Amino acid sequence: MTNDRAARAAERRWESFPPAPEPLPHPVLDSHTHLDIVAEDGGDPATQIDAAAKVGVDRLVQVGVDVKSSRWGVACAAEHPAVVATVALHPNEAPRLSDLDAALAEIAALAEDPRVRGIGETGLDFFRTREEGLRPQERSFRAHIALAKRVGKPLVIHDRDAHADILRVLDDEGAPETVVMHCFSGDEAFAAECVRRGFVLSFAGTVTFKNAPQLRAAAALTPPRQILVETDAPYLTPMPFRGRPNASYLIPLTVRALAEAKGMPLAEMCEAISDNGNRIFGPW
């Protein structure tokens, strides 16, 4: 594809994104996004960073899922002051690697960069990984826990259909000082267990879905100091645009849903999320 054709294709894709929501009264961050996927699809991450800033989303956390995306995230954070990075091997990546130790060593080296502010997303995924892949997945998870504690950076957890085992491994290894439950997907009981352990629950666009009252109930019991908000873009677009591409500029839709679930004024919800982001990942 020529550069001109690539630019036109990227423009068409951008036009498929939802319209911008009303700006927030106080700036917040997107605690989990994948700008590398935008870049791979021919889009311009800078365009999405700028669009987010216009609605009050002034900080983005670019999340690594393998060595390639982790390297990309470090470079992106170096180029864009609004972006910081996390690095890790996704739990579904670990069983596919022929040399898991070498990949873990490269993640550990990247973790030393000052623009890297977290280790993740790591964890357990029992939805996609078959039985034979569970052992390397858990070994990778344990290695990431140790790395987060060694470098003193937050651990960002991917948890799919693995709630009890996530807690089992964290309790067994000893959790790092800060644990972020990315795209929290549990019910009130699991939220209560996470809150009791001091974990931070990061809510994505799924909290706006009509079929997710358990997520709103989980948000309602979570103290404001333990809440973050994220997109997981380009996935998990909030209502009323579910099914269309997601981006950081759509965070206001999720923040408004969280404020409603918690019965908090929107400005107070924004301030709490912003303060949490600075405490956990900052300063930018």
Side-chain angles (χ1 to χ4, degrees):
M1 184 181 291
T2 67
N3 288 339
D4 286 346
R5 290 179 62 196
R8 288 196 296 271
E11 183 179 358
R12 286 195 298 273
R13 282 189 289 271
W14 182 249
E15 288 173 351
S16 72
F17 280 72
E22 182 181 350
L24 293 169
H26 186 283
V28 300
L29 76 157
D30 180 352
S31 73
H32 193 115
T33 189
H34 298 283
L35 290 168
D36 56 306
I37 298 176
V38 173
E40 288 178 358
D41 200 33
D44 179 13
T47 300
Q48 295 207 4
I49 294 168
D50 290 344
K54 290 176 181 176
V55 297
V57 184
D58 63 346
R59 289 152 290 160
L60 284 68
V61 181
Q62 162 63 26
V63 174
V65 296
D66 54 22
V67 170
K68 179 182 177 182
S69 63
S70 294
R71 288 178 187 155
W72 189 95
V74 174
C76 180
E79 181 179 355
H80 299 284
V83 178
V84 296
T86 72
V87 298
L89 307 177
H90 190 282
N92 290 329
E93 175 73 4
R96 295 196 288 259
L97 294 170
S98 59
D99 193 341
L100 177 57
D101 288 333
L104 287 169
E106 182 145 9
I107 294 299
L110 290 168
E112 301 289 348
D113 191 285
R115 295 297 290 172
V116 172
R117 303 296 176 80
I119 306 303
E121 58 187 281
T122 181
L124 300 172
D125 188 319
F126 293 168
F127 180 76
R128 288 196 173 92
T129 299
R130 296 183 178 182
E131 184 69 29
E132 62 271 17
L134 298 182
R135 182 170 294 180
Q137 188 178 91
E138 184 168 320
R139 182 162 76 88
S140 176
F141 183 25
R142 290 178 183 270
H144 283 80
I145 295 170
L147 175 60
K149 291 193 286 189
R150 180 171 68 78
V151 298
K153 297 181 179 181
L155 184 72
V156 179
I157 299 289
H158 172 102
D159 164 23
R160 188 161 188 186
D161 295 350
H163 302 333
D165 285 275
I166 288 284
L167 296 182
R168 170 182 61 81
V169 174
L170 285 169
D171 289 347
D172 186 39
E173 291 289 329
E177 182 178 351
T178 303
V179 172
V180 178
M181 302 299 292
H182 146 60
C183 190
F184 183 81
S185 59
D187 58 12
E188 290 177 85
F190 184 58
E193 285 296 316
C194 292
V195 166
R196 183 175 65 82
R197 288 168 168 82
F199 300 167
V200 176
L201 279 55
S202 184
F203 291 92
T206 46
V207 77
T208 73
F209 293 177
K210 293 179 180 179
N211 64 347
Q214 78 283 0
L215 293 182
R216 292 184 284 278
L221 68 80
T222 304
R225 185 176 169 83
Q226 289 174 254
I227 288 181
L228 283 173
V229 65
E230 65 174 83
T231 55
D232 201 21
Y235 312 112
L236 305 181
T237 309
M239 294 294 289
F241 303 113
R242 185 177 181 180
R244 294 176 69 177
N246 199 6
S248 295
Y249 75 92
L250 295 171
I251 278 280
L253 298 172
T254 304
V255 176
R256 288 184 166 90
L258 281 174
E260 182 177 350
K262 292 205 57 68
M264 289 179 63
L266 178 60
E268 289 184 18
M269 186 81 260
C270 291
E271 289 173 9
I273 291 168
S274 183
D275 290 347
N276 295 341
N278 287 336
R279 185 182 75 251
I280 294 165
F281 297 111
W284 258 248

